Amino acid sequence: MALIGLTGGIASGKSTIGRRLEALGSVRIDADRLAREAVEPGSRGLRLVVERFGEEIIRDDGSLDRAALGERVFGDPEALADLNAIVHPEVRRLAERRVAEARAADPDAIIVYEVPLLVESGADMDWDLVVVADAPAETRVRRQVELRGLDEGDARRRVASQASDEERRAAADVVIDTSGDEARTIEQVDALWKRLTAR
Ligand SMILES: CC(C)(COP(=O)(O)OP(=O)(O)OC[C@H]1O[C@@H](n2cnc3c(N)ncnc32)[C@H](O)[C@@H]1O)[C@@H](O)C(=O)NCCC(=O)NCCS
Ligand SMILES: Nc1ncnc2c1ncn2[C@@H]1O[C@H](COP(=O)(O)OP(=O)(O)OP(=O)(O)O)[C@@H](O)[C@H]1O
């Protein structure tokens, strides 16, 4: 049984690593997905978000307008802190429940919890190992622009909303260098998996 925290800055390659570890046999839990569940239509989370940010962040179909909310919070630390205070406790609750379920289903499971904000707000979970995806901020800005169509200012604001590369590295037991091509990332993940399963 092991609980592995997988983190990294925005567009660092966390999901690429998480998906590979899942394909190799781990249980994958994704905080970004849990954060979406926390603000589903009809949820308490969405009601609180609307109370704080107004009806203009709701689309015609009643769902959250993520692009509009992203524009409001990235670059405005106070607004981001308010959003985090609404969403993070629910994400934490959902994550702990998923971890407990995975352990109950298989006591030997290797559980990988992919959490962008491990350093900012998840450092106190009971990690057996912390894995950090590491690529320079400039590379991560470029990926957001080229692969996700964000404008450069927006991409930079998202990078600046997070802990620094140094802070994440300081929390790492294992660093995966994701600055090269994806094949290079996968090689490192496969080597890590070998170590994990050889124990
Ligand atoms: C602001 C929102 C609506 C923007 O949605 P969008 O679909 O554009 O982005 P998505 O949720 O897919 O996140 C993409 C990446 O942005 C970064 N990011 C997301 N939330 C945050 C945050 N609160 N602080 C810093 N970076 C963040 C992460 O690297 C994440 O992987 C959304 O990110 C959100 O609700 N964030 C608050 C919840 C949160 O902290 N989620 C992160 C995991 S707990
Ligand atoms: N060496 C690499 N390792 C991982 N991903 C890479 C690499 N080179 C390019 N990419 C690309 O970078 C993009 C970001 O990767 P990914 O979605 O895994 O990041 P992420 O850290 O999960 O992002 P986010 O924080 O936004 O959720 C993807 O389109 C991926 O294909």
Side-chain angles (χ1 to χ4, degrees):
M1 179 278 289
L3 178 60
I4 298 176
L6 169 59
T7 193
I10 188 160
S12 59
K14 292 180 298 295
S15 301
T16 306
I17 295 170
R19 280 194 300 268
R20 181 67 175 184
L21 288 169
E22 185 178 31
L24 290 167
S26 71
V27 176
R28 179 176 180 217
I29 303 172
D30 177 1
D32 281 336
R33 205 182 282 176
L34 300 181
R36 284 168 198 256
E37 278 180 37
V39 293
E40 270 174 359
S43 65
R44 175 171 177 273
L46 187 58
R47 187 166 50 71
L48 294 173
V49 168
V50 173
E51 273 172 23
R52 168 63 178 83
F53 294 97
E55 293 284 348
E56 58 270 26
I57 51 100
I58 295 298
R59 288 145 47 128
D60 292 342
D61 66 0
S63 66
L64 180 63
D65 185 339
R66 306 182 66 82
L69 184 56
E71 274 171 31
R72 285 280 293 279
V73 299
F74 295 118
D76 180 345
E78 219 171 282
L80 185 62
D82 288 348
L83 177 64
N84 288 343
I86 295 169
V87 178
H88 288 179
E90 179 64 5
V91 169
R92 178 67 174 252
R93 208 176 57 77
L94 291 169
E96 280 172 354
R97 194 203 291 164
R98 299 284 156 95
V99 169
E101 284 167 2
R103 282 182 170 154
D106 175 7
D108 295 324
I110 295 179
I111 302 164
V112 178
Y113 181 27
E114 193 179 316
V115 52
L117 305 178
L118 184 148
V119 167
E120 295 87 336
S121 63
D124 56 329
M125 273 181 85
D126 199 8
W127 308 117
D128 294 301
L129 194 80
V130 171
V131 176
V132 170
D134 189 41
E138 281 309 313
T139 304
R140 295 187 283 115
V141 168
R142 203 180 62 235
R143 285 180 187 164
Q144 291 181 76
V145 171
E146 288 174 3
L147 305 171
R148 296 180 183 168
L150 261 68
D151 75 54
E152 190 180 325
D154 198 7
R156 287 192 189 284
R157 278 189 289 279
R158 287 174 186 238
V159 167
S161 298
Q162 301 188 334
S164 66
D165 296 349
E166 290 70 28
E167 286 169 299
R168 273 187 297 270
R169 273 186 226 123
D173 298 305
V174 174
V175 174
I176 296 192
D177 174 4
T178 53
S179 63
D181 61 17
E182 281 192 45
R184 188 64 206 106
T185 295
I186 297 297
E187 274 173 27
Q188 295 169 78
V189 177
D190 290 357
L192 171 64
W193 183 254
K194 264 197 182 154
R195 273 176 48 201
L196 291 172
T197 50
R199 278 179 185 177

